Structure formats: C-alpha cells, structure tokens
Amino acid sequence: MNRNTILKILIIVCVTAFLGELKITPFNSSFRIALGSAGFFFLLLYYKDVPYLLTGFVTGVLTTLFRTGLDSFYFNDFSFIGSFLTHSPIIGYYLVFATILQFTKRKCGSISPLMLGFFGVLSDGIANIAELLLHSAINGVPFMFSNIGYVFIVAVFRSFFVIGLYNSIESNKLKAIYVEQRKKFEEIQTILSELYIEGFYLEKTLTDIETITRKAHDLYQELKKLEMPVELTRSALLIAQEVHEVKKDNQRIKAGLEKLIAEGHIVKPVSLKEIVNVSLKANKKYSKSLGKNIEIEASVDVDLKVQSIYPLLIILNNLITNAIEAIDETGFIQVTVRMLDSNIIIEVLDNGPGIDPDEQDVIFEPGFTTKFTETGKPSTGIGLSHVKLMVEKLDGSIQLQSSPVQTAFTITLPIKNL
C-alpha cells in the first residue's frame, strides 16, 4: 500500500470520526444517527481506489478509540474496556457498509446515480441493523424490530443527500475538464489553420521548384549541345541537382506538416456556428491584447456541418483580424453567415475608416499593405492574399464594399465544396 492510499484512509477516518459527533441518539442508548456515515459514504465514492474493506475496518476501530478517548474527558468514572465495548458496534457498521459497497463495485462497475443511491440505502440500512444487533449482543440493549423502519428512512435521506452532493461535485469537475479541453481544442485548431496555409504555400513552392529544376536541366542539355566549356555545363547541372535537393527537403517538410495536420484534424464534420465561435473567441482576445474596445458579434443562420474547417478558419481569422487592426480605439465587427440557394454567404462588416478607392483593386495582391510598425517597417501584407487563395480553392468569390465609415467583405462559397 502506497503513502497516498494511507493518507486517503486517514482522511476518511478523521472526517468520519469528527462528523460522527454531530449526532442524535433515537433509541435511548449509545446507538446514534450521525453524519459520520454520510461522510464515510461520500469519501468512499470520492476516493474510488482505496481498499473498501480495510478502510471500513480501520475507520470502525479508530472511531471507536476516538469516542473512547472523548469519554475519558467527559466521565469521572471512566473505564476504558467498558467505554470501548459500548462504542465497538460501530466497527461492525463500517465493516458491513464497506463490504456491501465493495460487492456493488465489483459486480456492477459503473452504475446510474439512482442505483448508486439505492445501494447506499441498502448499505446504510443493513449496516445500522448489524450495529443494533451488536449493541444487543455486547451491551445487552434489547433489539426492537420496530426500529428497522426508522433506520431505513434515515438511510434514504442520508444516502440520497450524499449522492446529490457527490454528483454535483462530479458534474462541476466534468464541466471544468470540458472547458479546459474546449480551450485547448480551439487553440489547436487555430494553430493547425496556420499550418494549413503554410502547407498550401509550400505546395505552390514545390511546383515552382520543379519548374526551376527542369529549366536548369534543359539549360545543361542546351549548353552541352553547343559544346560550351565543361565548367559551365557542369555548373548548370550542379544548379539543377541542388535545386532538386531543395525540392526533396521541402517535400519532407510538407509531409511532416500534412501528418501533423492529419493527427490534429477533426474526423467528424463541424458546424459553421462552431467554426465562427472558435474564430470569434481567438480574435476577442487579440482585440483586448491591443487595448481596443471592439464589440465582435456573429449571426449564423445556417444549421450546416462542414469538413473544410481550416480554409474557413483562415478566411474568418484574417478578415476579422484586419478589421480589428483597422479600427482605431472603439468599434464593432459583425460576422453574418447565411445560405442562399446552394451557396454559403459569409459577410464580415466593421465600422473602421474604410479602404481608399484607389487601393481596393490591389488589396488582395501579396505584399500590398497599409500597415506599418512604430519603426516604419511595413507588415507582410499577406492576410488578404490568404483569404483570396482559400476562397479560390473552394471555387468561391469575394467582394468588397467600403465607405469612409464602414467596410464589408462578402464571400460566396458553394456548399458542395465545404
């Protein structure tokens, strides 16, 4: 038995012994109805890995010694043996209680709260009867069959109180676990959406590298036909070989990215509302990190589950992020998702300063930007180019409407491609 198990048993003993003093004595004897058994039942449920029989026996013995010790302070004519025998029937109570629960645990495994409450009542009631019988045998207290009904009534209230408390705590634990897992899920999906776009560009780069390799090899063949100097033809061949090695390295990187994305990918389709919520939560945090007071809301009037999670996250994240950065201090961003015929329409509207008419034709070009750092360094200008690439990948279209007081991007995506 390890130290952790011993500590749990000691906790059960201490709590049970203390709560056992919150009692009533209904039968004019040393028999008591107390909260100790409720605490014992609750802690056995909470500490599922403790040995029930050993715990019941130890709890009974130490509780008896605890009560005997208390008697030594309260009674002048204290007798250790007499006091110990008076309280010793409680050993039978906890041992019988633990035995029934142990049997239930082995035979039933995971059971419903209602059935667990029933077995709790059974354990408590039978254990109390066993304690009364031991009282009768050891202390000469007459056993009254009329008391059995009272014992089981108390057992019902006590057991279902424990089950209610236990289920409430377990429910809160599950909620906390769900919230934490949900947070990790959202963070992972955001990261994977970034990896997805990197993989997309890497695939495009591989095509370019293949073209360069072919051109370098063609140059080598042409120089060889023209009987150019050996050093020159070898240089052309070497360039083709080195570019080919770069291609193989990029292929390995791409394969690693695809494996990582596949491992973190959601197998089941996800609702559009859930995808929008993931994006909104991440961007609300981003807005706060910039010290801006921006109200970000969404209206999703589509009950549709899709597989194209990452392209949609890339589209939403970039459009909302751009809107946040465009707004000076305070403002609002409204995301609307609706269905029109066989298409999904996504609109991201903000009340930022708008986009200059002269720039509207080039905002989707890679490298174009109107954003600069405090040191005057321009941003990468690839956010909207990401959006355009993803929209085109899904055979969709994107439109811009902008005025000095608001900007709206409207994206049309065929449902069949989602």
Side-chain angles (χ1 to χ4, degrees), residues 247-261:
K247 176 189 173 183
K248 287 197 293 186
D249 289 339
N250 281 349
Q251 284 175 329
R252 282 190 286 269
I253 295 170
K254 183 174 179 289
L257 278 176
E258 287 175 345
K259 182 181 178 182
L260 186 61
I261 292 169

Side-chain angles (χ1 to χ4, degrees), residues 124-178:
D124 196 356
I126 294 175
N128 269 317
I129 292 172
E131 185 182 356
L132 286 170
L133 289 170
L134 286 171
H135 264 292
S136 179
I138 296 173
N139 300 313
V141 178
F143 180 81
M144 304 291 291
F145 285 97
S146 58
N147 294 334
I148 294 176
Y150 177 82
V151 163
F152 272 99
I153 290 173
V154 172
V156 169
F157 283 101
R158 194 157 53 185
S159 295
F160 280 97
F161 167 76
V162 169
I163 295 300
L165 179 62
Y166 174 74
N167 281 335
S168 176
I169 292 172
E170 288 296 300
S171 176
N172 288 332
K173 282 169 62 178
L174 288 174
K175 284 180 182 177
I177 292 170
Y178 172 79

Side-chain angles (χ1 to χ4, degrees), residues 201-220:
Y201 276 109
L202 190 57
E203 186 174 354
K204 184 175 180 295
T205 302
L206 285 170
T207 303
D208 295 338
I209 291 174
E210 182 66 35
T211 302
I212 294 169
T213 304
R214 186 174 60 255
K215 286 181 178 180
H217 191 266
D218 290 345
L219 177 61
Y220 161 73

Side-chain angles (χ1 to χ4, degrees), residues 313-328:
L313 273 177
I314 290 164
I315 291 168
L316 288 166
N317 282 339
N318 281 288
L319 290 179
I320 297 173
T321 298
N322 282 349
I324 290 170
E325 292 172 351
I327 295 170
D328 290 329

Side-chain angles (χ1 to χ4, degrees), residues 12-152:
I12 293 173
V13 170
C14 292
V15 171
T16 302
F18 174 76
L19 292 179
E21 298 309 307
L22 305 176
K23 63 185 186 297
I24 58 172
T25 52
F27 305 137
N28 296 320
S29 70
S30 58
F31 177 81
R32 62 178 74 188
I33 300 292
L35 290 178
S37 55
F40 181 72
F41 184 23
F42 175 83
L43 290 173
L44 283 184
L45 295 175
Y46 193 78
Y47 296 133
K48 299 179 180 65
D49 57 336
V50 296
Y52 281 15
L53 296 181
L54 177 62
T55 303
F57 178 74
V58 172
T59 301
V61 172
L62 293 183
T63 300
T64 301
L65 290 172
F66 175 70
R67 294 177 183 178
T68 301
L70 289 179
D71 286 351
S72 68
F73 286 101
Y74 293 133
F75 301 108
N76 294 326
D77 57 345
F78 170 74
S79 166
F80 176 82
I81 295 176
S83 180
F84 185 86
L85 289 175
T86 298
H87 296 297
S88 61
I90 196 66
I91 299 173
Y93 172 87
Y94 287 119
L95 193 55
V96 171
F97 196 117
T99 301
I100 298 174
L101 279 185
Q102 178 70 29
F103 176 81
T104 303
K105 181 180 178 183
R106 286 181 178 176
K107 294 294 182 181
C108 302
S110 178
I111 57 177
S112 68
L114 185 62
M115 286 301 295
L116 191 57
F118 169 77
F119 283 114
V121 172
L122 192 66
S123 301
D124 196 356
I126 294 175
N128 269 317
I129 292 172
E131 185 182 356
L132 286 170
L133 289 170
L134 286 171
H135 264 292
S136 179
I138 296 173
N139 300 313
V141 178
F143 180 81
M144 304 291 291
F145 285 97
S146 58
N147 294 334
I148 294 176
Y150 177 82
V151 163
F152 272 99

